[in-house]
């Protein structure tokens, strides 16, 4: 009996096995390496060249011929690269992660700088090693949240000391498409949320331990933990809203976000073709090609699982977007979620069974806080996507109307805007919020 209790009590082990660090949570505990060893220098140099050349999006309105030429030449240099072997990376998670990041940023530069009329044919030189590395890491072969945030930071100049731990205020981003502060702040906003959320992981662990004990003292401790969790989620909301301080919505929408587009988030429905797959039979044809989204943040998924928000509810029989996003997370973080979901004493059921008004109120406070986080998230998505999208749409129509001497045929028909993860975002974000408030216990 004692043994079982002890086993259950350590249900969330402080878990290097899950790559969840006590101080940094899902973020890498050490700064990720900024460069691959010499054997793969050609990849790093190719990515550097794209960033230094300030490559332009292939569908940029008013793209100049000189800009198109620079992109074409860079893409030619990618095609000329040899297919470098990846075997030497396979035994090191640190090297594999950097390789995924470098190849994925290069892939997005390649695809998104193509003229809209061209097919998306991904050269073997980047496609094959990216598929190999992705197979090893068990994540899709394109940019993910882990590339842009979790494994893409360093200490700000002068902030590192012997026992430095990354905090919301001492980190910077390593690799970007544009090197604009707007892009960096977009990534750092998520990074700060990940780091601030670490306290919740610990509170969650102790809460779960207490649910296994379940006596009056345990219940009174859980109340306190839940109130603190509600307050920390409040901080996450503030961190989310603070993205406005240094990330301009129109710059984000027009200059940063288009680089993130995956196969299903692009306005066109062009297939991405990885060349040379027939010669590499060990590689799988990729089916998951959605662009990076903070919907892949394990921190938010953990909160949902722990508090009992059920995102499966509206899509019975098929995986919800949220479970779909889990296949983009680092494998061990995904396993952590699986482990958490298998908890034989879910918190919500515990609160219902306890029949304690104060406990119920503390639990509902945490749910309300998560709902308010999602309210704020909708405000941000409206500000950063819907507003700029409408402005671009209006501008395009104004230009068409000007060109057609006053005949007022709209150039395009307004379509629901998609998120980088491929969702019809307004409906989707409203649904996740509703499912959160549906979790409140009456
Ligand atoms: C300017 C900042 C942001 C914008 C414009 C934005 C936009 C979006 C959009 C459009 C979606 C829909 C899914 C998709 O297709 O990608 C989404 C989902 C999501 N985002 Fe964000 N997001 C931002 C920042 C963040 C941050 C910092 C976090 C927290 C780490 C976050 C967490 C989520 C989550 C968890 C989802 C899944 C839906 C949900 O849980 O409600 N987002 N976001």
């Amino acid at each position: 009996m004692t043994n079982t209790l002890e086993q259950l009590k350590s249900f969330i082990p402080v878990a290097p096995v899950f790559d969840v660090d006590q101080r940094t949570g899902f973020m890498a505990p050490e700064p990720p390496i900024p460069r691959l060893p010499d054997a793969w220098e050609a990849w790093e140099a190719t990515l550097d060249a794209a960033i230094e050349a300030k490559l332009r999006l292939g569908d940029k309105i008013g793209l100049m011929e000189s800009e198109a030429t620079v992109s074409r030449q860079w893409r030619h240099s990618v095609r000329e690269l040899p297919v470098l072997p990846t075997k030497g990376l396979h035994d090191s998670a640190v090297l594999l992660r950097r390789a995924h990041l470098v190849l994925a940023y290069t892939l997005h530069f390649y695809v998104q700088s193509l003229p809209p009329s061209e097919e998306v044919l991904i050269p073997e030189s980047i496609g094959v090693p990216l598929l190999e590395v992705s197979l090893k890491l068990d994540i899709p072969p394109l940019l993910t949240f882990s590339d842009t945030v979790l494994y893409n930071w360093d200490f700000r100049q002068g902030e590192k000391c012997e026992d430095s731990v990354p905090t919301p205020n001492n980190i910077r981003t390593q690799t970007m498409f544009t090197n604009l502060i707007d892009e960096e702040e977009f990534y750092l906003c998520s990074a700060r949320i990940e780091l601030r959320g670490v306290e919740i992981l610990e509170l969650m662990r102790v809460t779960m331990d207490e649910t296994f004990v379940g006596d009056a003292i345990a219940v009174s401790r859980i109340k306190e933990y839940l109130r603190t969790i509600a307050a920390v989620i409040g901080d996450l909301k503030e961190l989310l809203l603070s993205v406005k301080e240094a990330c301009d919505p129109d710059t984000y929408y027009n200059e940063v976000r288009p680089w993130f587009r995956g196969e299903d988030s692009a306005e066109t429905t062009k297939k991405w073709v990885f060349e040379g797959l027939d010669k590499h039979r060990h590689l799988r044809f990729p089916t998951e090609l959605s662009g990076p989204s903070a919907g892949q943040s394990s921190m938010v998924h953990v909160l949902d699982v722990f508090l009992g928000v059920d995102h499966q509810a509206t899509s019975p029989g098929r995986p919800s977007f949220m479970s779909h996003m889990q296949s983009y997370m680092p494998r061990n973080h995904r396993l952590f979620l699986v482990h958490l979901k298998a908890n034989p004493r879910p918190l919500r059921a515990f609160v219902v069974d306890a029949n304690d008004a104060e406990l119920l109120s503390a639990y509902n406070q945490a749910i309300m806080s998560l709902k308010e986080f999602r309210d704020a998230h909708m405000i941000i998505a409206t500000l950063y996507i819907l507003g700029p999208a409408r402005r671009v749409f209006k501008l395009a129509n104004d230009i068409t109307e000007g060109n057609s001497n006053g005949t007022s045929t709209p150039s395009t028909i307004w379509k629901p805007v998609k998120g980088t993860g491929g969702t019809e975002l307004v409906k989707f974000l409203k649904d996740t919020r509703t499912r959160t408030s549906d979790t409140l216990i009456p």
Side-chain angles (χ1 to χ4, degrees):
M1 176 68 194
T2 323
N3 267 350
T4 318
L5 184 63
E6 284 313 307
Q7 275 164 8
L8 289 175
K9 277 179 66 178
S10 57
F11 192 74
I12 308 184
V14 179
V17 65
F18 293 120
D19 285 334
V20 183
D21 187 88
Q22 254 176 316
R23 298 161 316 156
T24 62
F26 300 103
M27 293 274 281
E30 302 287 334
I33 52 162
R35 220 165 173 87
L36 287 165
D38 286 351
W40 300 278
E41 174 56 26
W43 295 344
E44 295 279 3
T46 303
L47 178 58
D48 284 347
I51 298 166
E52 274 156 30
K54 297 192 185 334
L55 287 200
R56 298 296 172 201
L57 293 153
D59 58 357
K60 179 188 155 196
I61 296 168
L63 185 76
M64 290 193 293
E65 188 44 46
S66 56
E67 292 171 331
T69 305
V70 171
S71 313
R72 195 168 47 246
Q73 285 167 346
W74 177 80
R75 286 196 303 279
H76 180 72
S77 75
V78 175
R79 283 212 164 267
E80 294 290 291
L81 281 174
V83 181
L84 297 179
T86 59
K87 211 162 177 16
L89 301 164
H90 290 187
D91 294 331
S92 159
V94 169
L95 292 181
L96 281 170
R97 285 171 193 155
R98 176 70 194 170
H100 192 275
L101 184 158
V102 173
L103 291 164
Y105 268 95
T106 307
L107 169 80
H108 282 248
F109 263 128
Y110 193 95
V111 173
Q112 301 304 345
S113 71
L114 284 168
S117 55
E118 264 185 47
E119 280 179 84
V120 179
L121 301 175
I122 297 157
E124 261 181 273
S125 55
I126 51 167
V128 166
L130 179 56
L131 284 164
E132 286 174 351
V133 165
S134 304
L135 189 66
K136 271 317 256 188
L137 288 171
D138 194 16
I139 55 173
L142 80 170
L143 208 60
T144 64
F145 181 77
S146 59
D147 297 306
T148 58
V149 176
L150 303 180
Y151 306 133
N152 193 20
W153 64 271
D154 201 346
F155 289 105
R156 278 187 199 283
Q157 207 93 43
E159 297 280 352
K160 183 160 173 55
C161 60
E162 272 307 288
D163 56 350
S164 269
V165 175
T167 67
N169 300 318
N170 69 3
I171 52 169
R172 64 174 182 85
T173 295
Q174 282 192 8
T175 303
M176 290 181 261
F177 289 106
T178 61
N179 279 345
L180 292 170
I181 182 80
D182 310 77
E183 182 176 355
E184 178 164 35
E185 281 298 313
F186 176 72
Y187 299 149
L188 289 181
C189 171
S190 292
R192 292 180 187 122
I193 288 177
E194 294 293 323
L195 292 172
R196 181 67 190 97
V198 172
E199 189 181 341
I200 296 180
L201 296 179
E202 175 57 15
L203 287 162
M204 211 172 77
R205 192 180 67 77
V206 287
T207 303
M208 288 176 79
D209 283 355
E210 295 296 349
T211 62
F212 288 118
V213 179
D215 60 10
I217 297 173
V219 168
S220 98
R221 284 187 184 141
I222 294 173
K223 286 175 204 167
E224 273 317 302
Y225 299 150
L226 283 171
R227 286 179 195 129
T228 312
I229 288 173
V232 179
I233 301 175
D235 290 351
L236 304 189
K237 181 185 87 175
E238 295 308 322
L239 286 169
L240 175 62
L241 289 170
S242 70
V243 71
K244 291 188 278 186
E245 284 165 22
C247 177
D248 173 69
D250 289 284
T251 309
Y252 165 75
Y253 182 81
N254 295 309
E255 293 182 43
V256 177
R257 182 175 185 265
W259 292 111
F260 299 154
R261 290 175 295 192
E263 187 184 61
D264 60 359
S265 56
E267 276 62 31
T268 63
T269 49
K270 280 194 279 181
K271 291 301 287 173
W272 287 17
V273 178
F274 283 76
E275 290 181 329
L277 273 193
D278 46 337
K279 285 186 259 159
H280 303 270
R281 303 257 166 203
H282 62 295
L283 294 175
R284 288 185 225 136
F285 179 79
T287 49
E288 290 292 346
L289 290 169
S290 297
S293 161
Q296 297 164 12
S297 153
S298 304
M299 184 58 72
V300 182
H301 286 245
V302 157
L303 277 170
D304 281 333
V305 173
F306 172 65
L307 292 172
V309 180
D310 180 7
H311 289 293
Q312 209 54 53
T314 55
S315 44
R318 59 194 176 91
S320 65
F321 173 80
M322 294 302 270
S323 38
H324 170 62
M325 281 295 109
Q326 287 172 19
S327 55
Y328 290 75
M329 292 174 185
R331 176 179 35 214
N332 290 347
H333 296 171
R334 214 183 307 147
L335 291 176
F336 181 72
L337 281 167
V338 171
H339 183 74
L340 203 59
K341 276 183 218 158
N343 173 13
R345 299 212 87 191
L347 176 69
R348 191 172 188 279
F350 177 85
V351 175
V352 171
D353 292 347
N355 206 10
D356 177 305
E358 275 185 17
L359 178 67
L360 187 139
S361 153
Y363 172 84
N364 279 347
Q365 215 177 312
I367 295 289
M368 274 313 287
S369 206
L370 186 57
K371 190 242 172 214
E372 282 159 17
F373 175 84
R374 290 199 155 108
D375 287 338
H377 185 258
M378 283 217 62
I379 292 171
I380 291 295
T382 306
L383 188 68
Y384 281 80
I385 303 180
L386 295 181
R390 289 211 174 94
R391 286 192 280 281
V392 168
F393 178 75
K394 182 168 180 315
L395 189 69
N397 276 338
D398 288 351
I399 292 170
T400 311
E401 282 173 30
N403 290 344
S404 61
N405 294 329
T407 44
S408 58
T409 328
S411 61
T412 35
I413 293 171
W414 175 259
K415 286 187 254 155
V417 182
K418 278 189 169 189
T420 47
T423 61
E424 279 187 19
L425 68 99
V426 177
K427 181 180 177 315
F428 168 69
L429 295 179
K430 277 189 182 158
D431 282 354
T432 54
R433 189 182 51 179
T434 306
R435 283 194 287 270
T436 310
S437 44
D438 284 351
T439 313
L440 287 167
I441 303 173

